[in-house]
Amino acid sequence: MTQSGRRGVLGLGAGVAALLARPALAQGGFPDKPIRMLVPWAPGGSTDVQMRALCDAASRRAGQPVVVENRSGAGGILGAQALAGGTRPDGYTLSQMPVGVFRYPQMVEKPPFDPLKDFTWILQLTGYLFGVAVRADAPWRNFNAFLADAKANPGKITYGSPGVGTSLHITMEQIGRERGIEWLHVPFRGVSENLQALLAGQIAACADSSAWAELVRDGRLRLLCTWGAERAKRFPDVPTLRECGVDIVSESPYGIAGPAGIEPAVVGKLHDIFHAALTDPAHLAVLERYDMAAAYLNSNDYAAAVRQQYRQDGEMIRRLGLKAG
């Protein structure tokens, strides 16, 4: 064999080796360009940080960038609204889907989308650690003292949440209804605004995900309760809602979806990309940081869970009288 022939064979072998070294999921034609991930929350909150870690791990698996685009406000529905507003069902635009997506359409006269028809459900990922925090100099030493004060002063105690129809808003209204409390809800665009308002004394309490954790650990905030089934690992001295006498567990599982009509083969590839990212050590470390746990469901099981969540939330909205009009 000539020298040039040997170089050609070696070059071909190197090319084949390079092809085989590429992520397996990138070889079938999808994805062959960046994937856009809509995150309907402000930068810096627990969901934003978690989703960025997930998308970074997914990028390594997919062989293409998975780019986060924040669309905060409106209680976390703007990602879903964008998907339902004419986005091509090619698998290149996805969104994080909080449970507010199932609630908001049942609370307004003209729903901007139908959760049961307008989306392709890829997989469920995780859930939150929620809790109620107040400033360190607040007069309430525990959650029951806070509830007693709110009941004794109707309409005077304010609490912030990430928006109308979010789990934080719904759960606080459930607590208020159960304890005969009338308090004032102040919706924000995300946890950063919520915490800033609390630190500035503009609201009495913050009901939000665990982005308050470092402020609690630094002594600037006092955590009155958490909303999981068990006490949070990092805050073992803080009682759950159930331990405070309120029989509610709220962890608000969420996942990823695209617009309706994505081809099943593409759904399968997206599922596998993000399932691998979910269990990536770097992503698991972020979940640990925020006291969140993986709550994986595959595409079919996630779609079934969505239907169940939609029915349950509709019943709760009607029971609490939160339907507009």
Side-chain angles (χ1 to χ4, degrees), residues 40-42 45-47 71-78 96 98-100 103-104 128-132 159-172 185-195 197 203 205-212 227 250 252:
W41 307 105
S46 58
T47 311
R71 295 202 177 188
S72 62
I77 69 163
L78 295 183
Q96 185 261 356
V99 295
R103 295 168 180 167
Y104 183 79
Y128 295 100
L129 173 66
F130 290 141
V132 177
Y159 74 89
S161 88
V164 174
T166 59
S167 290
L168 285 308
H169 172 219
I170 296 290
T171 301
M172 287 296 284
H185 174 226
V186 183
F188 292 97
R189 291 172 60 88
V191 66
S192 296
E193 290 184 8
N194 200 1
L195 290 171
I203 54 176
C206 163
D208 220 311
S209 59
S210 56
W212 33 249
W227 296 0
S250 179
S252 193

Side-chain angles (χ1 to χ4, degrees), residues 124-204:
Q124 183 174 286
L125 298 169
T126 184
Y128 295 100
L129 173 66
F130 290 141
V132 177
V134 297
R135 285 181 18 158
D137 59 359
W140 311 290
R141 306 302 301 180
N142 56 65
F143 192 56
N144 281 320
F146 176 74
L147 295 179
D149 197 9
K151 185 170 184 178
N153 295 278
K156 293 184 179 180
I157 300 295
T158 56
Y159 74 89
S161 88
V164 174
T166 59
S167 290
L168 285 308
H169 172 219
I170 296 290
T171 301
M172 287 296 284
E173 293 306 307
Q174 285 182 286
I175 295 169
R177 177 67 63 91
E178 181 176 311
R179 292 297 185 92
I181 294 170
E182 179 186 346
W183 42 29
L184 182 61
H185 174 226
V186 183
F188 292 97
R189 291 172 60 88
V191 66
S192 296
E193 290 184 8
N194 200 1
L195 290 171
Q196 288 170 10
L198 179 60
L199 291 170
Q202 297 168 350
I203 54 176

Side-chain angles (χ1 to χ4, degrees), residues 209-226:
S209 59
S210 56
W212 33 249
E214 292 308 313
L215 292 169
V216 173
R217 290 166 69 92
D218 290 344
R220 300 178 64 187
L221 297 182
R222 179 183 302 129
L223 186 60
L224 298 183
C225 65
T226 57

